Amino acid sequence: MSQFANRSEAGEDEIPSFNGSEKAQASDFANYFCSYSQIFHQKQMLSDQNRMAAYHSAIVGNSELFKDKIVMDVGTGSGILACWAAQAGARKVYAIEYTDMAKNAEKVMEANGVSHIVTVVQGAVEDVVLPEGTEGNVDIIISEWMGYFLLRESMLDSLIRARDKYLKPATGLMFPSHCDMYWGPVNDKNERLACQQEYVGSMGDWTEFVEGTKGMYGVDMSCLEANYEKEQEEYYILSSKWSELPSEALLAEPCVVKRFDMATCTIEESKGILPGNASKFSFSNVTSDETTEVSGFAGWFTSDFRSRTDEGGKDAPKVNNPVNLTTAPGPYTHWGQQVFYFKTPIILMAGERTDIDGEIEMMRSKDNARLYNVKVTHQASRYNKTSGVCMHKNGPTEVVYQIPFTTSLQSQQPPIDLRVTMADMKKDDKVWATAEDDLAKGSDQDKYKNEDKVKGAVVRPSVKFLDKVGTSRFPVEAGRYRLYVAEACPWSHRTYMMWKLKGLDKGIVGLTLTGWKLENISFTPPYDDYHGWDFDESEGSESSPNYYKEPNGFSYIEQLYELAHPGFREVYESKGQRPYYSAPVLFDEKEKKIVSTESADIIKMFNSVFDSVGATPIDLAPADLEAEMEAVNSIVYPKINDGVYRCGFSTTQEAYELAYHSHWSGMDAIEERLGNQRFLCGDTFTLSDIRLWVTLARYDSVYFSHFKTNRNRLREMPNLYRYLRDVYRIPGIAETLNLPHIVKHYYFSQRMVNPTAIWPLGGPTTDFFTKDTGDLGYEPYQFPELRDV
């Protein structure tokens, strides 16, 4: 797939894909530029080494074409292309620049000793006046005219007019000579979800605004909600996003949706892919070794510097050293890719193949001719790879996207390539994931991390292990893995519930429960007395006598971390940081390695990865509910799961009040939602319900008083309380809830909140969960067994 951009043309050698190996060749030119804000954009362009080296190779590497020739550089900017043309032997170069950068370009020519060859002319290329005899006599036009996805914010119109007026018709060359627009399906789930979560958050802010305006000022603004929602959807979901995708994000061989021969293309062609002439695309046999998604389509372009291929240019000089510049996923270019995310992704199921067909139109925006709207129509069909039977067919789906004027990354320095960094780190097995890796992989905590820059606010530490079962390193095997759970911790409780519901207790995944103590949590050095969760065999009961017995004989979870990654504590303390021994832990007992400590990933793994070795075939993450689940999670996690902690661990009144109001906005939203349906996503119990329920189960016992969330008790919220008791009835759920263990942990271990370490004796008991369950209005929930294993 890495060679998709390389093509052979009749009578020419194959064009090599340019990989930026000549990075140093243009570096001296950057030294002429200082950090004035007026040339910041040019600095960004000069930092794009793939762009720089491609143009340098095309010009200097074909100096015989430039020797004694007249050259025009359209949109010269800093003037570097014009400078190279002069150094390649051009007799005369006209560098045209509309903006005041023309003055800086003149300085570059003087500094490089080519001002006698290069004449910088400020003005639009359509309006400038050049010496008599220039029209129709330019040998080569060079230009870096390409915009994002080739056409957005491009100068193609101006370039075509310059070509028609100045270039020699039969022998003149255009550099670049040919440009192709590429289109392909990609997996970019984290960014797709981030866009949806920003949209959901914006709508949540609107609700608070309406309620506040009405309550404080007596004016109801809700009549504007439809317009506001449309604007937010267009901005967050129906706008393409600049991205720097890795090559592995591409799920199929891409296709060309439009080709430009720069010697012959017309103004009409530059307007896009017009209605009535839509470009069709087809991606057959899209597969994945594990269940994943098509997040959307990505668009990018390639530019070739090669010989003319049009009939009228058969007498033009040949380009002996052709060059290809690609902006495909992989190596950085400042153009990146434009990604068009789906509202609802196309699910790729392991063991199946998916065919995706459709067409694309691209038209200029009515408001700005340099911007574009893109209409994409597509449909997908899923087939069993073995039998060829069609499993599902949807569509056709039609969506109109806008390619906006600005993007969040286009004015930044080239992003750090975290993939390279982490690949280097993982060469040493003693080195584990860092916070940067969390951001690259998108941990649950980092996706919703508290961004409040308020003194005393809480920022939850990132999880450190993010591998998955079902890979070559951690293959699926019954009896190989063990789940370590701290029953008091809601994040651990999530995984315990899934372990029980999926029947992993049938010898598929082992289980060890920690004790309730988490002592000596210090936030200032030294950290010698902190060892994480304890293991206490005396906690065992007749129903689970072996679950509290740690098979290695360890006393603390710290020892498990050190077994898997010797030196774990030392690395933290060398940086003056407290070691972070979190639970849950999914542990590979065969290799003695930690697979994951991210509860969100673990419950997703448990949902399907062990089905082939005997797990109960129920599905808590139906593909058709994925988008809805993520939208709900974007409220549940930051405002409720983490929201109670942000209230309880705040150390200033300001931080606490912000967290308190945010938390209750989330609780009220879910209370309202559950007034109209049984579970968070309708009548189906999902992973989102597990995420919510673990917090609700602790609410009146702990959070109401200990964490100061005391506006209402849960039993005063009729829909949430009904929901709490309804879920409790699901077979297996009650067995995972240890209320005495939970209460003792919070009040004893969290000395920063409760310095006396005294735990209360009163509070909800089992009756709180079983009261009046016969009046809930539903029969106890039964999971449909959907999977064919």
Side-chain angles (χ1 to χ4, degrees):
M1 190 168 304
S2 61
Q3 298 300 314
F4 70 83
N6 300 341
R7 300 183 307 280
S8 296
E9 298 288 339
E12 290 192 11
D13 293 333
E14 181 173 332
I15 301 174
S17 179
F18 195 83
N19 61 12
S21 60
E22 299 178 47
K23 289 182 179 179
Q25 293 181 347
S27 61
D28 290 342
F29 290 92
N31 295 331
Y32 295 111
F33 298 96
C34 56
S35 59
Y36 298 144
S37 59
Q38 68 196 64
I39 59 171
F40 178 78
H41 182 65
Q42 291 297 319
K43 177 179 178 293
Q44 303 306 98
M45 307 282 270
L46 297 176
S47 299
D48 182 347
Q49 298 295 352
N50 280 324
R51 165 196 181 266
M52 293 283 284
Y55 272 93
H56 186 263
S57 293
I59 296 171
V60 177
N62 290 288
S63 58
E64 71 280 1
L65 297 175
F66 286 81
K67 185 172 177 57
D68 299 325
K69 296 298 193 299
I70 299 176
V71 177
M72 176 177 286
D73 178 6
V74 178
T76 195
S78 65
I80 196 166
L81 304 186
C83 190
W84 283 336
Q87 292 176 339
R91 172 166 55 89
K92 187 64 186 177
V93 180
Y94 295 105
I96 315 299
E97 174 58 35
Y98 180 75
T99 73
D100 286 341
M101 272 300 299
K103 298 180 176 62
N104 292 303
E106 288 178 339
K107 295 178 181 178
V108 172
M109 302 312 143
E110 293 174 3
N112 286 272
V114 294
S115 56
H116 63 293
I117 299 173
V118 181
T119 298
V120 179
V121 182
Q122 184 170 4
V125 70
E126 296 89 344
D127 301 329
V128 297
V129 178
L130 299 182
E132 186 175 350
T134 305
E135 292 186 16
N137 280 310
V138 170
D139 296 286
I140 304 174
I141 293 180
I142 56 177
S143 179
E144 196 274 90
W145 62 269
M146 301 85 73
Y148 298 91
F149 195 19
L150 193 64
L151 296 180
R152 185 192 126 209
E153 299 182 44
S154 76
M155 301 185 301
L156 184 52
D157 288 14
S158 295
L159 183 68
I160 292 172
R161 293 187 178 98
R163 179 203 66 196
D164 292 346
K165 183 174 182 179
Y166 293 106
L167 190 69
K168 291 180 177 179
T171 60
L173 296 177
M174 300 290 290
F175 267 30
S177 59
H178 301 77
C179 293
D180 293 342
M181 298 171 67
Y182 277 88
W183 186 254
V186 295
N187 182 332
D188 194 22
K189 180 178 181 179
N190 290 335
E191 289 303 317
R192 179 185 65 78
L193 293 178
C195 294
Q196 292 189 340
Q197 288 149 12
E198 288 177 341
Y199 167 73
V200 171
S202 178
M203 292 309 300
D205 292 341
W206 170 262
T207 300
E208 292 183 20
F209 162 75
V210 170
E211 292 175 354
T213 305
K214 187 175 182 179
M216 185 174 294
Y217 301 110
V219 177
D220 187 356
M221 305 293 288
S222 61
C223 60
L224 302 179
E225 181 166 343
N227 290 340
Y228 180 84
E229 184 174 11
K230 182 175 182 293
E231 290 176 355
Q232 301 310 296
E233 183 181 56
E234 288 178 350
Y235 181 77
Y236 287 112
I237 298 177
L238 299 182
S239 293
S240 64
K241 302 296 188 293
W242 184 98
S243 185
E244 185 194 3
L245 295 169
S247 57
E248 57 266 26
L250 192 58
L251 296 171
E253 193 80 7
C255 65
V256 176
V257 292
K258 191 171 180 68
R259 289 196 146 132
F260 290 89
D261 184 335
M262 304 316 302
T264 60
C265 64
T266 64
I267 294 290
E268 185 67 15
E269 287 182 273
S270 74
K271 293 179 180 178
I273 307 172
L274 303 181
N277 194 29
S279 182
K280 298 186 182 301
F281 56 84
S282 180
F283 305 108
S284 300
N285 202 29
V286 183
T287 60
S288 175
D289 293 334
E290 58 183 24
T291 299
T292 183
E293 70 170 43
V294 182
S295 307
F297 295 109
W300 64 91
F301 69 89
T302 63
S303 291
D304 290 337
F305 301 77
R306 55 188 171 95
S307 304
R308 283 179 64 165
T309 56
D310 60 299
E311 181 62 25
K314 61 181 182 298
D315 295 327
K318 299 298 180 184
V319 177
N320 295 318
N321 296 300
V323 172
N324 169 265
L325 169 63
T326 178
T327 65
Y332 171 82
T333 69
H334 76 278
W335 288 284
Q337 299 85 42
Q338 289 290 309
V339 183
F340 303 81
Y341 294 108
F342 297 147
K343 286 184 177 181
T344 302
I346 298 172
I347 303 302
L348 297 182
M349 301 291 291
E352 297 180 0
R353 69 174 177 86
T354 298
D355 294 347
I356 305 171
D357 302 287
E359 62 181 31
I360 175 176
E361 298 175 6
M362 186 171 176
M363 296 179 60
R364 288 180 175 176
S365 169
K366 294 179 180 178
D367 300 324
N368 188 327
R370 297 183 72 185
L371 307 184
Y372 285 80
N373 294 324
V374 177
K375 184 170 81 171
V376 181
T377 305
H378 71 276
Q379 59 183 5
S381 304
R382 284 177 22 220
Y383 300 88
N384 183 285
K385 283 204 297 188
T386 303
S387 67
V389 173
C390 182
M391 309 294 292
H392 178 74
K393 187 172 184 177
N394 76 336
T397 300
E398 180 181 294
V399 182
V400 177
Y401 299 88
Q402 56 184 350
I403 306 185
F405 184 75
T406 59
T407 57
S408 60
L409 293 175
Q410 73 182 64
S411 62
Q412 297 180 5
Q413 290 284 359
I416 297 172
D417 192 341
L418 298 176
R419 299 182 304 279
V420 174
T421 304
M422 293 314 304
D424 291 340
M425 291 181 65
K426 290 179 179 176
K427 291 176 183 176
D428 181 357
D429 200 37
K430 293 184 179 180
V431 180
W432 49 88
T434 65
E436 287 77 18
D437 194 38
D438 294 339
L439 293 173
K441 292 187 177 181
S443 76
D444 190 45
Q445 288 143 334
D446 276 312
K447 277 193 288 185
Y448 308 111
K449 184 177 287 186
N450 171 32
E451 296 293 344
D452 292 335
K453 307 303 181 189
V454 178
K455 184 178 180 181
V458 178
V459 177
R460 179 174 293 279
S462 299
V463 296
K464 300 303 174 194
F465 299 94
L466 293 159
D467 262 308
K468 291 179 171 60
V469 174
T471 63
S472 58
R473 186 182 185 193
F474 297 113
V476 178
E477 293 179 18
R480 174 169 176 161
Y481 301 96
R482 177 168 294 272
L483 178 66
Y484 285 82
V485 166
E487 290 176 280
C489 169
W491 280 267
S492 275
H493 194 179
R494 294 180 184 183
T495 64
Y496 191 10
M497 290 172 68
M498 279 298 289
W499 178 84
K500 191 67 178 177
L501 292 173
K502 289 291 295 185
L504 302 183
D505 55 343
K506 298 177 295 189
I508 299 173
V509 175
L511 177 72
T512 295
L513 301 177
T514 73
W516 53 266
K517 292 180 181 178
L518 188 62
E519 296 188 78
N520 304 312
I521 306 175
S522 175
F523 292 95
T524 57
Y527 306 113
D528 298 349
D529 292 335
Y530 174 67
H531 306 290
W533 296 93
D534 73 339
F535 295 111
D536 187 353
E537 191 172 343
S538 67
E539 290 281 328
S541 63
E542 291 184 4
S543 62
S544 57
N546 296 318
Y547 290 162
Y548 293 93
K549 185 175 182 180
E550 206 289 314
N552 300 287
F554 293 152
S555 299
Y556 296 99
I557 205 168
E558 172 192 16
Q559 295 165 282
L560 185 71
Y561 276 73
E562 290 292 337
L563 172 66
H565 298 281
F568 190 90
R569 171 184 285 275
E570 181 182 348
V571 170
Y572 273 88
E573 292 188 340
S574 68
K575 300 177 182 178
Q577 299 173 355
R578 178 176 69 87
Y580 186 54
Y581 305 121
S582 65
V585 175
L586 184 59
F587 187 72
D588 181 349
E589 295 190 292
K590 182 177 180 180
E591 296 295 330
K592 305 299 182 186
K593 295 296 179 185
I594 293 176
V595 180
S596 178
T597 56
E598 170 56 79
S599 63
D601 286 349
I602 294 172
I603 62 176
K604 289 177 183 176
M605 278 187 269
F606 284 0
N607 185 57
S608 60
V609 77
F610 291 105
D611 285 7
S612 61
V613 292
T616 303
I618 58 175
D619 186 6
L620 280 75
D624 59 340
L625 293 179
E626 184 174 10
E628 187 174 2
M629 288 169 60
E630 288 297 338
V632 170
N633 293 345
S634 69
I635 298 174
V636 169
Y637 183 86
K639 292 179 178 289
I640 299 178
N641 296 149
D642 202 37
V644 294
Y645 281 83
R646 292 174 60 194
C647 292
F649 285 177
S650 293
T651 58
T652 66
Q653 188 67 28
E654 179 186 10
Y656 163 72
E657 290 184 8
L658 284 171
Y660 175 92
H661 291 302
S662 174
H663 166 66
W664 276 106
S665 72
M667 290 286 281
D668 289 339
I670 299 301
E671 169 74 8
E672 181 179 356
R673 184 180 186 89
L674 291 174
N676 301 313
Q677 56 196 52
R678 184 175 186 177
F679 301 120
L680 289 175
C681 296
D683 292 329
T684 302
F685 185 82
T686 68
L687 296 182
S688 295
D689 294 293
I690 286 181
R691 295 163 69 114
L692 173 63
W693 195 84
V694 293
T695 296
L696 301 185
R698 292 157 172 74
Y699 206 88
D700 283 22
S701 300
V702 175
Y703 302 143
F704 178 84
S705 54
H706 184 62
F707 279 173
K708 309 177 187 70
T709 63
N710 56 346
R711 194 197 76 180
N712 295 96
R713 296 183 186 275
L714 198 66
R715 63 188 174 201
E716 297 167 345
M717 309 285 285
N719 298 324
L720 284 167
Y721 187 38
R722 183 269 306 161
Y723 170 87
L724 175 81
R725 292 172 291 146
D726 189 16
V727 173
Y728 186 80
R729 296 187 301 173
I730 296 175
I733 297 292
E735 298 173 42
T736 68
L737 182 65
N738 189 338
L739 273 179
H741 189 110
I742 289 168
V743 170
K744 285 191 287 187
H745 161 72
Y746 277 94
Y747 284 92
F748 176 87
S749 297
Q750 296 177 357
R751 304 291 179 86
M752 74 294 288
V753 180
N754 183 37
T756 65
I758 297 172
W759 61 77
L761 298 178
T765 63
T766 303
D767 292 343
F768 181 73
F769 296 84
T770 58
K771 182 181 179 181
D772 300 329
T773 54
D775 299 330
L776 293 179
Y778 300 102
E779 292 297 319
Y781 184 75
Q782 297 291 325
F783 287 100
E785 295 197 2
L786 300 178
R787 297 188 185 278
D788 295 323
V789 181

